[in-house]
Amino acid sequence: MDVVELVPDLYFLRFPVGHVYLWRDPDGLTVIDAGLPGSGPHIAGAIRGLGWHPRDVRQLVLTHGHVDHAGAAAEVAAWGEVTVLAHQADVPLVEGRAAALPPDLADWEQALYDQVQAGLPATEPEPVRVDRPLADGDVVDIADGALTIATPGHTAGSIALYLPGPRVLFAGDIMARDPQSADPRTPVFPGVFNVDRAEALASFARLAALDVETACFGHGEPLASDAGTYLRAATERLSRPTL
């Protein structure tokens, strides 16, 4: 796992599957997504390496309830007084009271999905209680107010977080970049493995319309600057008629 400072107060924890982000406010740290089960010690090590302590984490925001984003949520929550936040529609999934719905796969997604599933750990994540269920428009106490944006389609309760001041977007899995590409020009594209593909595309368009400087994705390298250019380019590609 690598730790990269993207902009002041924002750190990218690069995992092979399911990235994690840290945001620092004067009164503590926020973890955005928690990675696969077993990621907790790696996240804690990154926090210590940056000069803080896991007890400095005051909240954990989950963009959705899939195992590569919420798998280590219980590990992070056990560090102290950590408030866990997730969209109300994904609360049963995060709390272990419901299973993830199967995605509606396009033909070309099937082989990729099988490959990804084969690489996931067999260990079931430990359920964690969601302390604050979120809804569209809720404000989260990050950077003077982060806006919760409901982005259904990947899961029913997928969300993004938008920080208007620093113009930072945490997009979850509604958007992605090629995880295998190190090319800084790698485009942004809609995420895969969605339960409702049309709904996911509508959510993608909603996020692409935001004024974004820095964009953070669950899969693929984040964009530390000029992210809006990439999002507008993605929208233009999607709007072109197919022959």
Side-chain angles (χ1 to χ4, degrees), residues 141-199:
D141 186 17
I142 305 171
D144 297 322
L147 181 65
T148 300
I149 302 175
T151 55
H154 186 64
T155 66
S158 290
I159 61 166
L161 283 182
Y162 178 58
L163 284 55
R167 298 161 59 210
V168 171
L169 175 67
F170 299 96
D173 278 0
I174 287 294
M175 296 177 168
R177 300 175 79 204
D178 184 353
Q180 305 303 318
S181 175
D183 188 336
R185 299 166 296 177
T186 300
V188 176
F189 53 82
V192 295
F193 311 156
N194 300 305
V195 297
D196 187 317
R197 283 179 276 161
E199 203 170 41

Side-chain angles (χ1 to χ4, degrees), residues 10 15 18 47 50 56 62 131 143 152 160-161 179 188 216 219 229 231 233:
L10 173 59
F15 281 87
I47 290 170
L50 291 168
D56 295 325
L62 302 173
D131 302 296
L161 283 182
V188 176
C216 303
H219 303 278
T229 298
L231 301 190

Side-chain angles (χ1 to χ4, degrees), residues 199-210:
E199 203 170 41
L201 284 174
S203 294
F204 180 95
R206 186 182 183 191
L207 296 185
L210 296 171

Side-chain angles (χ1 to χ4, degrees), residues 86-93 97 130 132-136 138 156-157 159:
H87 189 276
Q88 55 196 4
D90 269 19
V91 168
L93 179 56
R97 296 184 282 109
V130 175
R132 183 184 171 190
L134 295 170
D136 187 55
D138 284 352
I159 61 166

Side-chain angles (χ1 to χ4, degrees), residues 54-187:
R55 286 193 302 271
D56 295 325
V57 174
R58 60 185 179 87
Q59 55 189 358
L60 166 64
V61 182
L62 302 173
T63 62
H64 60 290
H66 281 165
V67 66
D68 54 335
H69 291 257
E75 301 167 45
V76 174
W79 293 342
E81 297 297 322
V82 179
T83 300
V84 179
L85 302 89
H87 189 276
Q88 55 196 4
D90 269 19
V91 168
L93 179 56
V94 174
E95 294 188 338
R97 296 184 282 109
L101 294 176
D104 177 20
L105 299 174
D107 290 343
W108 64 267
E109 290 180 286
Q110 186 65 60
L112 178 61
Y113 179 76
D114 293 342
Q115 178 184 352
V116 170
Q117 289 297 110
L120 294 179
T123 306
E124 288 293 323
E126 182 182 350
V128 64
R129 187 185 71 180
V130 175
D131 302 296
R132 183 184 171 190
L134 295 170
D136 187 55
D138 284 352
V139 176
V140 178
D141 186 17
I142 305 171
D144 297 322
L147 181 65
T148 300
I149 302 175
T151 55
H154 186 64
T155 66
S158 290
I159 61 166
L161 283 182
Y162 178 58
L163 284 55
R167 298 161 59 210
V168 171
L169 175 67
F170 299 96
D173 278 0
I174 287 294
M175 296 177 168
R177 300 175 79 204
D178 184 353
Q180 305 303 318
S181 175
D183 188 336
R185 299 166 296 177
T186 300

